[in-house]
Amino acid sequence: MKILFADKKLEKLANDDRKLIAEMGKRRALLLRRRLTQMTDAANLEDLRKLPGRYHELKGDRKGQWACDLDQPYRLLFTPIPLPIPANSLGQKLLIRITQVEIIEITNYH
């Protein structure tokens, strides 16, 4: 999958291991690097759902966003591109058609 970033600061952080470890700690930095690698290696969003990290769609005021686990309680939040997610005639989401995501933040939203 192709990964985009919502802002340059987040992109710089994600691509600088030393800065990432300094800002987030070694454990979260390693987990973030692992999740980004999983995203890059996956062909589509459906593939991600099968991987460790609990990739899941959010609800409520975060509808349209997805998250995966980092270290508790932090999550990596992203949006699939395009939105809305294409669906078949029965209304089932076609996650296989999502081959690009935008990373929007690393946060504890609970």
Side-chain angles (χ1 to χ4, degrees):
M1 294 181 65
K2 182 176 181 179
I3 299 175
L4 306 173
F5 290 87
D7 60 57
K8 292 289 182 193
K9 182 181 176 189
L10 185 57
E11 184 175 11
K12 273 183 141 178
L13 180 66
N15 290 306
D16 184 339
D17 287 338
R18 282 183 29 182
K19 187 173 184 179
L20 190 59
I21 291 169
E23 252 187 69
M24 301 197 165
K26 189 172 184 177
R27 177 158 171 69
R28 191 174 311 143
L30 290 172
L31 286 168
L32 176 62
R33 179 68 50 227
R34 184 177 301 149
R35 300 297 177 246
L36 292 172
T37 299
Q38 288 172 333
M39 289 177 166
T40 301
D41 291 348
N44 55 57
L45 190 54
E46 182 64 37
D47 288 350
L48 280 180
R49 289 183 44 172
K50 300 170 188 172
L51 297 175
R54 204 172 67 87
Y55 291 85
H56 59 284
E57 189 171 9
L58 301 177
K59 299 175 183 170
D61 62 342
R62 291 202 178 263
K63 184 178 174 124
Q65 297 177 356
W66 284 62
C68 62
D69 294 344
L70 296 175
D71 57 329
Q72 289 296 338
Y74 286 89
R75 308 282 189 275
L76 174 63
L77 274 65
F78 60 96
T79 54
I81 299 171
L83 269 180
I85 295 173
N88 64 18
S89 60
L90 301 174
Q92 299 164 321
K93 293 180 180 178
L94 300 174
L95 301 179
I96 197 165
R97 290 201 183 158
I98 302 298
T99 59
Q100 186 169 277
V101 295
E102 180 179 52
I103 306 297
I104 53 176
E105 67 180 316
I106 299 162
T107 190
N108 169 13
Y109 57 78
H110 292 285

